Short mmCIF file of all heavy atoms in Angstrom, two decimals:
data_model
loop_
_atom_site.label_atom_id
_atom_site.label_comp_id
_atom_site.label_asym_id
_atom_site.label_seq_id
_atom_site.Cartn_x
_atom_site.Cartn_y
_atom_site.Cartn_z
N MET A 26 3.96 16.30 6.14
CA MET A 26 2.82 15.43 6.28
C MET A 26 2.18 15.64 7.64
O MET A 26 2.86 15.77 8.64
CB MET A 26 3.26 13.98 6.10
CG MET A 26 2.11 13.00 6.23
SD MET A 26 2.59 11.30 5.86
CE MET A 26 3.18 10.78 7.45
N ASN A 27 0.89 15.67 7.71
CA ASN A 27 0.15 15.83 8.94
C ASN A 27 0.23 14.54 9.75
O ASN A 27 -0.17 13.47 9.29
CB ASN A 27 -1.31 16.15 8.60
CG ASN A 27 -2.14 16.42 9.82
OD1 ASN A 27 -1.80 16.04 10.93
ND2 ASN A 27 -3.26 17.06 9.61
N SER A 28 0.74 14.60 10.98
CA SER A 28 0.92 13.40 11.80
C SER A 28 -0.41 12.81 12.25
O SER A 28 -0.44 11.70 12.77
CB SER A 28 1.79 13.72 13.00
OG SER A 28 1.16 14.69 13.81
N ASN A 29 -1.52 13.53 12.08
CA ASN A 29 -2.82 13.02 12.45
C ASN A 29 -3.42 12.12 11.37
O ASN A 29 -4.42 11.47 11.61
CB ASN A 29 -3.79 14.17 12.74
CG ASN A 29 -3.38 14.95 13.98
OD1 ASN A 29 -2.83 14.39 14.91
ND2 ASN A 29 -3.64 16.23 13.96
N LEU A 30 -2.82 12.10 10.20
CA LEU A 30 -3.34 11.28 9.11
C LEU A 30 -2.93 9.83 9.29
O LEU A 30 -1.81 9.53 9.70
CB LEU A 30 -2.81 11.77 7.76
CG LEU A 30 -3.30 13.11 7.25
CD1 LEU A 30 -2.64 13.43 5.92
CD2 LEU A 30 -4.79 13.12 7.09
N LYS A 31 -3.83 8.93 8.99
CA LYS A 31 -3.51 7.51 8.92
C LYS A 31 -2.86 7.27 7.57
O LYS A 31 -3.29 7.81 6.56
CB LYS A 31 -4.76 6.65 9.07
CG LYS A 31 -5.46 6.82 10.39
CD LYS A 31 -4.67 6.19 11.49
CE LYS A 31 -5.44 6.26 12.79
NZ LYS A 31 -4.75 5.67 13.89
N THR A 32 -1.84 6.45 7.53
CA THR A 32 -1.08 6.21 6.32
C THR A 32 -1.38 4.82 5.78
O THR A 32 -1.26 3.83 6.50
CB THR A 32 0.43 6.36 6.59
OG1 THR A 32 0.65 7.64 7.16
CG2 THR A 32 1.22 6.23 5.31
N VAL A 33 -1.75 4.75 4.51
CA VAL A 33 -2.13 3.50 3.87
C VAL A 33 -1.26 3.28 2.64
O VAL A 33 -1.00 4.22 1.88
CB VAL A 33 -3.63 3.54 3.44
CG1 VAL A 33 -4.02 2.27 2.71
CG2 VAL A 33 -4.53 3.76 4.64
N LEU A 34 -0.84 2.04 2.45
CA LEU A 34 -0.14 1.64 1.24
C LEU A 34 -1.05 0.73 0.45
O LEU A 34 -1.58 -0.25 0.98
CB LEU A 34 1.16 0.91 1.58
CG LEU A 34 1.90 0.24 0.42
CD1 LEU A 34 2.29 1.25 -0.65
CD2 LEU A 34 3.12 -0.51 0.92
N ILE A 35 -1.26 1.06 -0.82
CA ILE A 35 -2.04 0.22 -1.72
C ILE A 35 -1.05 -0.46 -2.66
O ILE A 35 -0.32 0.19 -3.39
CB ILE A 35 -3.05 1.05 -2.54
CG1 ILE A 35 -4.04 1.75 -1.61
CG2 ILE A 35 -3.78 0.14 -3.54
CD1 ILE A 35 -4.91 2.77 -2.30
N LEU A 36 -1.03 -1.79 -2.62
CA LEU A 36 -0.15 -2.58 -3.47
C LEU A 36 -1.02 -3.36 -4.45
O LEU A 36 -1.71 -4.31 -4.08
CB LEU A 36 0.69 -3.54 -2.62
CG LEU A 36 1.51 -4.60 -3.36
CD1 LEU A 36 2.47 -3.95 -4.34
CD2 LEU A 36 2.25 -5.47 -2.36
N ASP A 37 -1.01 -2.92 -5.69
CA ASP A 37 -1.81 -3.58 -6.73
C ASP A 37 -1.20 -3.23 -8.08
O ASP A 37 -0.81 -2.09 -8.30
CB ASP A 37 -3.26 -3.09 -6.67
CG ASP A 37 -4.21 -3.99 -7.44
OD1 ASP A 37 -3.87 -4.39 -8.57
OD2 ASP A 37 -5.29 -4.29 -6.91
N ASP A 38 -1.12 -4.21 -8.96
CA ASP A 38 -0.53 -3.95 -10.27
C ASP A 38 -1.55 -3.42 -11.28
O ASP A 38 -1.20 -3.13 -12.42
CB ASP A 38 0.18 -5.19 -10.82
CG ASP A 38 -0.72 -6.40 -10.97
OD1 ASP A 38 -1.90 -6.33 -10.56
OD2 ASP A 38 -0.25 -7.43 -11.49
N GLU A 39 -2.78 -3.24 -10.86
CA GLU A 39 -3.82 -2.63 -11.70
C GLU A 39 -3.93 -1.16 -11.32
O GLU A 39 -4.58 -0.80 -10.34
CB GLU A 39 -5.16 -3.34 -11.50
CG GLU A 39 -5.18 -4.78 -11.93
CD GLU A 39 -5.17 -4.94 -13.44
OE1 GLU A 39 -5.61 -4.02 -14.15
OE2 GLU A 39 -4.69 -6.00 -13.90
N THR A 40 -3.31 -0.30 -12.09
CA THR A 40 -3.25 1.13 -11.76
C THR A 40 -4.62 1.76 -11.57
O THR A 40 -4.81 2.52 -10.61
CB THR A 40 -2.44 1.89 -12.84
OG1 THR A 40 -1.15 1.29 -12.91
CG2 THR A 40 -2.31 3.35 -12.51
N PRO A 41 -5.62 1.48 -12.43
CA PRO A 41 -6.93 2.12 -12.20
C PRO A 41 -7.54 1.76 -10.85
O PRO A 41 -8.17 2.61 -10.21
CB PRO A 41 -7.79 1.58 -13.35
CG PRO A 41 -6.82 1.20 -14.41
CD PRO A 41 -5.61 0.71 -13.68
N ILE A 42 -7.34 0.55 -10.40
CA ILE A 42 -7.87 0.14 -9.10
C ILE A 42 -7.16 0.90 -7.99
O ILE A 42 -7.79 1.43 -7.06
CB ILE A 42 -7.74 -1.39 -8.91
CG1 ILE A 42 -8.67 -2.11 -9.88
CG2 ILE A 42 -8.04 -1.79 -7.46
CD1 ILE A 42 -8.47 -3.61 -9.95
N SER A 43 -5.84 0.97 -8.08
CA SER A 43 -5.07 1.69 -7.06
C SER A 43 -5.49 3.15 -6.97
O SER A 43 -5.66 3.69 -5.89
CB SER A 43 -3.57 1.63 -7.39
OG SER A 43 -3.10 0.31 -7.27
N TRP A 44 -5.63 3.78 -8.12
CA TRP A 44 -5.98 5.21 -8.12
C TRP A 44 -7.41 5.45 -7.64
O TRP A 44 -7.68 6.45 -6.97
CB TRP A 44 -5.74 5.83 -9.50
CG TRP A 44 -4.28 6.03 -9.70
CD1 TRP A 44 -3.43 5.26 -10.44
CD2 TRP A 44 -3.46 7.03 -9.10
NE1 TRP A 44 -2.14 5.72 -10.34
CE2 TRP A 44 -2.13 6.82 -9.53
CE3 TRP A 44 -3.72 8.10 -8.24
CZ2 TRP A 44 -1.07 7.62 -9.12
CZ3 TRP A 44 -2.66 8.89 -7.84
CH2 TRP A 44 -1.35 8.65 -8.28
N ALA A 45 -8.32 4.53 -7.93
CA ALA A 45 -9.69 4.67 -7.42
C ALA A 45 -9.71 4.57 -5.90
O ALA A 45 -10.34 5.38 -5.22
CB ALA A 45 -10.59 3.62 -8.05
N LEU A 46 -9.01 3.55 -5.38
CA LEU A 46 -8.93 3.41 -3.92
C LEU A 46 -8.24 4.61 -3.29
O LEU A 46 -8.68 5.10 -2.24
CB LEU A 46 -8.18 2.13 -3.56
CG LEU A 46 -8.91 0.81 -3.80
CD1 LEU A 46 -7.95 -0.37 -3.63
CD2 LEU A 46 -10.08 0.69 -2.84
N LYS A 47 -7.17 5.07 -3.92
CA LYS A 47 -6.45 6.23 -3.39
C LYS A 47 -7.36 7.45 -3.32
O LYS A 47 -7.38 8.16 -2.32
CB LYS A 47 -5.22 6.53 -4.24
CG LYS A 47 -4.42 7.71 -3.72
CD LYS A 47 -3.17 7.95 -4.53
CE LYS A 47 -2.40 9.14 -3.94
NZ LYS A 47 -1.08 9.30 -4.53
N SER A 48 -8.11 7.69 -4.37
CA SER A 48 -9.02 8.84 -4.40
C SER A 48 -10.03 8.77 -3.26
O SER A 48 -10.28 9.77 -2.57
CB SER A 48 -9.77 8.90 -5.73
OG SER A 48 -8.87 9.15 -6.77
N LEU A 49 -10.62 7.60 -3.06
CA LEU A 49 -11.60 7.44 -1.98
C LEU A 49 -10.97 7.65 -0.61
O LEU A 49 -11.55 8.34 0.25
CB LEU A 49 -12.23 6.05 -2.05
CG LEU A 49 -13.16 5.78 -3.23
CD1 LEU A 49 -13.52 4.30 -3.28
CD2 LEU A 49 -14.40 6.64 -3.12
N LEU A 50 -9.81 7.08 -0.40
CA LEU A 50 -9.16 7.21 0.90
C LEU A 50 -8.68 8.64 1.16
O LEU A 50 -8.77 9.13 2.29
CB LEU A 50 -8.00 6.23 1.01
CG LEU A 50 -8.41 4.76 1.12
CD1 LEU A 50 -7.21 3.84 0.92
CD2 LEU A 50 -9.08 4.50 2.46
N CYS A 51 -8.20 9.31 0.13
CA CYS A 51 -7.76 10.70 0.30
C CYS A 51 -8.94 11.60 0.68
O CYS A 51 -8.78 12.52 1.48
CB CYS A 51 -7.09 11.20 -0.97
SG CYS A 51 -5.42 10.55 -1.22
N MET A 52 -10.11 11.32 0.13
CA MET A 52 -11.31 12.09 0.49
C MET A 52 -11.66 11.90 1.96
O MET A 52 -12.32 12.75 2.56
CB MET A 52 -12.50 11.70 -0.39
CG MET A 52 -12.38 12.22 -1.80
SD MET A 52 -13.88 12.04 -2.81
CE MET A 52 -14.20 10.30 -2.71
N GLU A 53 -11.22 10.78 2.54
CA GLU A 53 -11.47 10.50 3.96
C GLU A 53 -10.27 10.87 4.83
O GLU A 53 -10.15 10.42 5.96
CB GLU A 53 -11.82 9.02 4.14
CG GLU A 53 -13.11 8.61 3.46
CD GLU A 53 -14.33 9.31 4.03
OE1 GLU A 53 -14.37 9.55 5.26
OE2 GLU A 53 -15.25 9.62 3.26
N ASN A 54 -9.37 11.68 4.27
CA ASN A 54 -8.21 12.22 4.99
C ASN A 54 -7.14 11.19 5.36
O ASN A 54 -6.51 11.30 6.41
CB ASN A 54 -8.65 12.99 6.23
CG ASN A 54 -9.45 14.20 5.86
OD1 ASN A 54 -9.10 14.91 4.92
ND2 ASN A 54 -10.54 14.43 6.56
N TYR A 55 -6.94 10.20 4.49
CA TYR A 55 -5.83 9.28 4.66
C TYR A 55 -4.66 9.75 3.81
O TYR A 55 -4.86 10.30 2.73
CB TYR A 55 -6.22 7.87 4.21
CG TYR A 55 -7.12 7.14 5.16
CD1 TYR A 55 -8.51 7.31 5.10
CD2 TYR A 55 -6.60 6.29 6.12
CE1 TYR A 55 -9.34 6.65 5.97
CE2 TYR A 55 -7.44 5.62 7.00
CZ TYR A 55 -8.80 5.80 6.91
OH TYR A 55 -9.63 5.15 7.78
N GLN A 56 -3.45 9.52 4.28
CA GLN A 56 -2.24 9.71 3.48
C GLN A 56 -2.04 8.38 2.76
O GLN A 56 -1.92 7.34 3.40
CB GLN A 56 -1.03 10.01 4.38
CG GLN A 56 0.28 10.08 3.65
CD GLN A 56 0.36 11.27 2.72
OE1 GLN A 56 -0.03 12.37 3.08
NE2 GLN A 56 0.87 11.05 1.53
N VAL A 57 -2.03 8.40 1.43
CA VAL A 57 -2.02 7.16 0.65
C VAL A 57 -0.81 7.10 -0.27
O VAL A 57 -0.51 8.06 -0.98
CB VAL A 57 -3.32 7.02 -0.19
CG1 VAL A 57 -3.32 5.71 -0.96
CG2 VAL A 57 -4.55 7.13 0.69
N TYR A 58 -0.14 5.96 -0.23
CA TYR A 58 0.94 5.66 -1.16
C TYR A 58 0.49 4.47 -2.01
O TYR A 58 -0.26 3.61 -1.53
CB TYR A 58 2.22 5.28 -0.41
CG TYR A 58 2.75 6.41 0.42
CD1 TYR A 58 2.45 6.50 1.78
CD2 TYR A 58 3.55 7.40 -0.15
CE1 TYR A 58 2.93 7.54 2.54
CE2 TYR A 58 4.02 8.45 0.62
CZ TYR A 58 3.72 8.51 1.96
OH TYR A 58 4.19 9.55 2.72
N THR A 59 0.94 4.43 -3.25
CA THR A 59 0.62 3.31 -4.12
C THR A 59 1.90 2.67 -4.63
O THR A 59 2.91 3.34 -4.82
CB THR A 59 -0.25 3.73 -5.33
OG1 THR A 59 0.46 4.69 -6.09
CG2 THR A 59 -1.59 4.29 -4.88
N ALA A 60 1.83 1.36 -4.83
CA ALA A 60 2.94 0.61 -5.39
C ALA A 60 2.36 -0.46 -6.32
O ALA A 60 1.32 -1.04 -6.03
CB ALA A 60 3.76 -0.05 -4.30
N SER A 61 3.05 -0.70 -7.42
CA SER A 61 2.58 -1.73 -8.36
C SER A 61 3.45 -2.98 -8.31
O SER A 61 3.12 -3.98 -8.94
CB SER A 61 2.53 -1.17 -9.78
OG SER A 61 3.82 -0.74 -10.17
N THR A 62 4.54 -2.93 -7.54
CA THR A 62 5.40 -4.10 -7.40
C THR A 62 5.76 -4.30 -5.93
O THR A 62 5.68 -3.36 -5.12
CB THR A 62 6.72 -3.94 -8.19
OG1 THR A 62 7.49 -2.88 -7.62
CG2 THR A 62 6.46 -3.67 -9.67
N LEU A 63 6.18 -5.51 -5.61
CA LEU A 63 6.61 -5.79 -4.24
C LEU A 63 7.83 -4.97 -3.88
O LEU A 63 7.98 -4.53 -2.73
CB LEU A 63 6.90 -7.28 -4.09
CG LEU A 63 5.68 -8.19 -4.21
CD1 LEU A 63 6.12 -9.64 -4.33
CD2 LEU A 63 4.77 -8.00 -3.03
N GLU A 64 8.69 -4.73 -4.84
CA GLU A 64 9.89 -3.94 -4.59
C GLU A 64 9.54 -2.51 -4.20
O GLU A 64 10.09 -1.95 -3.25
CB GLU A 64 10.82 -3.95 -5.81
CG GLU A 64 11.42 -5.31 -6.13
CD GLU A 64 10.46 -6.27 -6.82
OE1 GLU A 64 9.43 -5.83 -7.40
OE2 GLU A 64 10.72 -7.49 -6.77
N GLU A 65 8.62 -1.90 -4.96
CA GLU A 65 8.16 -0.55 -4.63
C GLU A 65 7.54 -0.51 -3.24
O GLU A 65 7.79 0.42 -2.46
CB GLU A 65 7.10 -0.08 -5.63
CG GLU A 65 7.60 0.39 -6.95
CD GLU A 65 6.44 0.85 -7.81
OE1 GLU A 65 5.79 0.00 -8.45
OE2 GLU A 65 6.18 2.07 -7.82
N ALA A 66 6.73 -1.51 -2.92
CA ALA A 66 6.07 -1.56 -1.62
C ALA A 66 7.11 -1.64 -0.51
O ALA A 66 6.96 -0.99 0.53
CB ALA A 66 5.12 -2.75 -1.55
N GLY A 67 8.16 -2.41 -0.73
CA GLY A 67 9.22 -2.52 0.26
C GLY A 67 9.91 -1.20 0.52
O GLY A 67 10.16 -0.84 1.67
N LEU A 68 10.19 -0.47 -0.55
CA LEU A 68 10.84 0.84 -0.40
C LEU A 68 9.94 1.82 0.34
O LEU A 68 10.40 2.54 1.23
CB LEU A 68 11.22 1.40 -1.76
CG LEU A 68 12.32 0.66 -2.52
CD1 LEU A 68 12.46 1.20 -3.94
CD2 LEU A 68 13.64 0.76 -1.77
N ILE A 69 8.67 1.84 -0.02
CA ILE A 69 7.73 2.76 0.62
C ILE A 69 7.58 2.43 2.10
O ILE A 69 7.62 3.30 2.97
CB ILE A 69 6.37 2.75 -0.09
CG1 ILE A 69 6.50 3.37 -1.49
CG2 ILE A 69 5.30 3.50 0.73
CD1 ILE A 69 5.30 3.16 -2.39
N SER A 70 7.41 1.13 2.40
CA SER A 70 7.22 0.74 3.81
C SER A 70 8.47 0.99 4.64
O SER A 70 8.37 1.23 5.85
CB SER A 70 6.80 -0.72 3.90
OG SER A 70 7.85 -1.58 3.51
N HIS A 71 9.61 0.97 4.01
CA HIS A 71 10.85 1.26 4.71
C HIS A 71 10.94 2.75 5.08
O HIS A 71 11.45 3.11 6.13
CB HIS A 71 12.05 0.86 3.86
CG HIS A 71 13.37 1.09 4.52
ND1 HIS A 71 14.09 2.25 4.32
CD2 HIS A 71 14.07 0.35 5.40
CE1 HIS A 71 15.19 2.19 5.04
NE2 HIS A 71 15.21 1.05 5.70
N ASP A 72 10.44 3.60 4.18
CA ASP A 72 10.56 5.05 4.35
C ASP A 72 9.41 5.70 5.12
O ASP A 72 9.55 6.83 5.59
CB ASP A 72 10.67 5.73 2.98
CG ASP A 72 11.95 5.39 2.26
OD1 ASP A 72 12.93 4.98 2.92
OD2 ASP A 72 11.99 5.52 1.02
N HIS A 73 8.26 5.02 5.21
CA HIS A 73 7.07 5.62 5.82
C HIS A 73 6.40 4.63 6.77
O HIS A 73 6.10 3.51 6.37
CB HIS A 73 6.06 6.03 4.74
CG HIS A 73 6.64 6.91 3.69
ND1 HIS A 73 6.84 8.26 3.90
CD2 HIS A 73 7.09 6.66 2.44
CE1 HIS A 73 7.36 8.80 2.81
NE2 HIS A 73 7.54 7.84 1.92
N PRO A 74 6.12 5.05 7.99
CA PRO A 74 5.35 4.17 8.88
C PRO A 74 3.92 4.04 8.35
O PRO A 74 3.32 5.03 7.93
CB PRO A 74 5.37 4.90 10.23
CG PRO A 74 5.77 6.30 9.93
CD PRO A 74 6.49 6.30 8.62
N LEU A 75 3.41 2.83 8.31
CA LEU A 75 2.10 2.57 7.72
C LEU A 75 1.09 2.17 8.78
O LEU A 75 1.41 1.44 9.72
CB LEU A 75 2.20 1.46 6.68
CG LEU A 75 3.14 1.71 5.51
CD1 LEU A 75 3.27 0.45 4.67
CD2 LEU A 75 2.66 2.88 4.68
N SER A 76 -0.15 2.62 8.60
CA SER A 76 -1.25 2.19 9.45
C SER A 76 -1.95 0.98 8.85
O SER A 76 -2.51 0.17 9.57
CB SER A 76 -2.28 3.32 9.60
OG SER A 76 -1.67 4.45 10.16
N ALA A 77 -1.93 0.88 7.51
CA ALA A 77 -2.63 -0.21 6.84
C ALA A 77 -2.01 -0.50 5.48
O ALA A 77 -1.38 0.36 4.87
CB ALA A 77 -4.10 0.13 6.67
N LEU A 78 -2.23 -1.73 5.03
CA LEU A 78 -1.81 -2.17 3.70
C LEU A 78 -3.01 -2.78 3.02
O LEU A 78 -3.69 -3.65 3.59
CB LEU A 78 -0.69 -3.21 3.82
CG LEU A 78 -0.31 -3.97 2.55
CD1 LEU A 78 0.34 -3.03 1.54
CD2 LEU A 78 0.61 -5.13 2.88
N ILE A 79 -3.29 -2.33 1.81
CA ILE A 79 -4.33 -2.93 0.97
C ILE A 79 -3.61 -3.54 -0.21
O ILE A 79 -2.86 -2.85 -0.92
CB ILE A 79 -5.35 -1.87 0.48
CG1 ILE A 79 -6.05 -1.23 1.66
CG2 ILE A 79 -6.35 -2.52 -0.47
CD1 ILE A 79 -6.93 -0.04 1.28
N THR A 80 -3.79 -4.85 -0.41
CA THR A 80 -3.07 -5.51 -1.47
C THR A 80 -3.92 -6.54 -2.19
O THR A 80 -4.88 -7.06 -1.62
CB THR A 80 -1.78 -6.18 -0.94
OG1 THR A 80 -1.03 -6.70 -2.04
CG2 THR A 80 -2.08 -7.30 0.02
N GLU A 81 -3.51 -6.81 -3.40
CA GLU A 81 -4.08 -7.89 -4.18
C GLU A 81 -3.36 -9.16 -3.73
O GLU A 81 -2.15 -9.28 -3.89
CB GLU A 81 -3.85 -7.63 -5.67
CG GLU A 81 -4.30 -8.74 -6.55
CD GLU A 81 -3.98 -8.47 -8.00
OE1 GLU A 81 -3.35 -7.46 -8.34
OE2 GLU A 81 -4.37 -9.31 -8.81
N TYR A 82 -4.08 -10.08 -3.16
CA TYR A 82 -3.48 -11.29 -2.61
C TYR A 82 -2.73 -12.10 -3.66
O TYR A 82 -1.68 -12.65 -3.40
CB TYR A 82 -4.54 -12.14 -1.94
CG TYR A 82 -3.99 -13.39 -1.31
CD1 TYR A 82 -3.24 -13.31 -0.15
CD2 TYR A 82 -4.23 -14.63 -1.86
CE1 TYR A 82 -2.73 -14.45 0.46
CE2 TYR A 82 -3.72 -15.77 -1.27
CZ TYR A 82 -2.98 -15.68 -0.12
OH TYR A 82 -2.47 -16.80 0.47
N LEU A 83 -3.26 -12.16 -4.86
CA LEU A 83 -2.67 -13.01 -5.89
C LEU A 83 -1.62 -12.30 -6.73
O LEU A 83 -1.24 -12.80 -7.78
CB LEU A 83 -3.77 -13.58 -6.79
CG LEU A 83 -4.75 -14.51 -6.07
CD1 LEU A 83 -5.85 -14.95 -7.02
CD2 LEU A 83 -4.03 -15.71 -5.50
N LEU A 84 -1.12 -11.17 -6.27
CA LEU A 84 -0.06 -10.47 -7.00
C LEU A 84 1.11 -11.41 -7.21
O LEU A 84 1.62 -11.55 -8.30
CB LEU A 84 0.37 -9.23 -6.20
CG LEU A 84 1.35 -8.30 -6.86
CD1 LEU A 84 0.70 -7.65 -8.08
CD2 LEU A 84 1.79 -7.23 -5.88
N ASN A 85 1.53 -12.05 -6.19
CA ASN A 85 2.53 -13.12 -6.22
C ASN A 85 2.45 -13.73 -4.84
O ASN A 85 3.10 -13.28 -3.92
CB ASN A 85 3.93 -12.59 -6.51
CG ASN A 85 4.95 -13.70 -6.63
OD1 ASN A 85 4.86 -14.71 -5.93
ND2 ASN A 85 5.90 -13.52 -7.49
N LYS A 86 1.60 -14.73 -4.68
CA LYS A 86 1.15 -15.22 -3.38
C LYS A 86 2.27 -15.38 -2.34
O LYS A 86 2.20 -14.81 -1.27
CB LYS A 86 0.39 -16.53 -3.54
CG LYS A 86 -0.35 -16.93 -2.29
CD LYS A 86 -1.33 -18.02 -2.57
CE LYS A 86 -0.72 -19.36 -2.28
NZ LYS A 86 -1.67 -20.46 -2.38
N THR A 87 3.30 -16.12 -2.64
CA THR A 87 4.35 -16.36 -1.65
C THR A 87 5.06 -15.08 -1.29
O THR A 87 5.23 -14.76 -0.12
CB THR A 87 5.36 -17.39 -2.19
OG1 THR A 87 4.66 -18.57 -2.54
CG2 THR A 87 6.41 -17.71 -1.15
N GLN A 88 5.48 -14.30 -2.28
CA GLN A 88 6.19 -13.06 -1.99
C GLN A 88 5.29 -12.04 -1.32
O GLN A 88 5.76 -11.27 -0.49
CB GLN A 88 6.80 -12.50 -3.26
CG GLN A 88 7.94 -13.33 -3.79
CD GLN A 88 8.53 -12.74 -5.06
OE1 GLN A 88 8.05 -11.74 -5.57
NE2 GLN A 88 9.57 -13.37 -5.57
N THR A 89 4.02 -12.00 -1.68
CA THR A 89 3.11 -11.05 -1.07
C THR A 89 2.95 -11.36 0.42
O THR A 89 2.98 -10.45 1.26
CB THR A 89 1.73 -11.06 -1.76
OG1 THR A 89 1.90 -10.76 -3.13
CG2 THR A 89 0.79 -10.04 -1.14
N ILE A 90 2.83 -12.61 0.77
CA ILE A 90 2.72 -13.00 2.18
C ILE A 90 3.99 -12.60 2.92
O ILE A 90 3.93 -12.06 4.03
CB ILE A 90 2.44 -14.51 2.31
CG1 ILE A 90 1.02 -14.81 1.80
CG2 ILE A 90 2.59 -14.96 3.76
CD1 ILE A 90 0.71 -16.27 1.66
N ASP A 91 5.15 -12.84 2.32
CA ASP A 91 6.41 -12.44 2.95
C ASP A 91 6.48 -10.92 3.14
O ASP A 91 6.95 -10.44 4.16
CB ASP A 91 7.61 -12.91 2.11
CG ASP A 91 7.77 -14.42 2.12
OD1 ASP A 91 7.22 -15.08 3.02
OD2 ASP A 91 8.46 -14.94 1.21
N MET A 92 6.02 -10.16 2.14
CA MET A 92 6.03 -8.70 2.22
C MET A 92 5.11 -8.23 3.35
O MET A 92 5.47 -7.34 4.11
CB MET A 92 5.59 -8.08 0.90
CG MET A 92 5.54 -6.56 0.92
SD MET A 92 7.10 -5.76 1.30
CE MET A 92 8.07 -6.24 -0.11
N ILE A 93 3.94 -8.84 3.47
CA ILE A 93 3.01 -8.46 4.54
C ILE A 93 3.67 -8.70 5.90
O ILE A 93 3.60 -7.85 6.79
CB ILE A 93 1.69 -9.23 4.42
CG1 ILE A 93 0.93 -8.76 3.16
CG2 ILE A 93 0.82 -9.06 5.67
CD1 ILE A 93 -0.25 -9.63 2.79
N LYS A 94 4.32 -9.83 6.05
CA LYS A 94 5.00 -10.13 7.32
C LYS A 94 6.09 -9.12 7.60
O LYS A 94 6.26 -8.66 8.73
CB LYS A 94 5.57 -11.54 7.28
CG LYS A 94 4.53 -12.62 7.34
CD LYS A 94 5.16 -13.99 7.23
CE LYS A 94 4.12 -15.08 7.22
NZ LYS A 94 4.72 -16.41 7.04
N LYS A 95 6.85 -8.75 6.56
CA LYS A 95 7.94 -7.80 6.74
C LYS A 95 7.41 -6.42 7.14
O LYS A 95 7.94 -5.77 8.03
CB LYS A 95 8.73 -7.69 5.45
CG LYS A 95 9.93 -6.78 5.53
CD LYS A 95 10.68 -6.77 4.21
CE LYS A 95 11.84 -5.79 4.27
NZ LYS A 95 12.58 -5.73 3.03
N ILE A 96 6.35 -5.98 6.48
CA ILE A 96 5.75 -4.67 6.77
C ILE A 96 5.16 -4.65 8.17
O ILE A 96 5.31 -3.68 8.90
CB ILE A 96 4.69 -4.30 5.71
CG1 ILE A 96 5.38 -4.01 4.38
CG2 ILE A 96 3.85 -3.11 6.16
CD1 ILE A 96 4.42 -3.86 3.22
N LYS A 97 4.53 -5.74 8.56
CA LYS A 97 3.91 -5.83 9.87
C LYS A 97 4.94 -5.68 10.96
O LYS A 97 4.83 -5.02 11.92
CB LYS A 97 3.17 -7.15 10.01
CG LYS A 97 2.39 -7.29 11.28
CD LYS A 97 1.67 -8.59 11.29
CE LYS A 97 0.97 -8.76 12.63
NZ LYS A 97 0.37 -10.05 12.78
#
């Protein structure tokens, strides 16, 4: 992976939305990971340093807030 790339995690359970965002960000030279569950997001954030997180707030409000705090 190129260390000059900004790394983004997209957490959304709507696959078409995640892939559309991923396509746009990749065209702008971002390294993008996608997750459809909080568990997947946790594993990805553990293995890869992230510059940003894009998430659906209402995925599971309480757990999503906790995940954001953990990733931060």
Side-chain angles (χ1 to χ4, degrees):
M26 180 174 86
N27 184 340
S28 62
N29 294 327
L30 292 179
K31 298 288 185 180
T32 305
V33 177
L34 171 59
I35 299 170
L36 171 58
D37 196 316
D38 59 355
E39 296 287 335
T40 303
I42 292 171
S43 294
W44 285 102
L46 288 170
K47 181 177 181 171
S48 294
L49 290 171
L50 290 167
C51 285
M52 287 190 304
E53 296 296 324
N54 296 317
Y55 285 86
Q56 174 68 44
V57 182
Y58 297 96
T59 60
S61 59
T62 66
L63 293 168
E64 294 78 19
E65 282 181 277
L68 292 172
I69 292 168
S70 68
H71 181 266
D72 293 339
H73 306 281
L75 300 172
S76 301
L78 169 67
I79 299 172
T80 186
E81 175 183 4
Y82 181 73
L83 296 176
L84 187 66
N85 184 325
K86 193 167 95 173
T87 304
Q88 291 180 356
T89 302
I90 291 170
D91 291 341
M92 178 60 65
I93 292 169
K94 288 177 183 177
K95 183 179 177 180
I96 291 171
K97 185 178 176 186

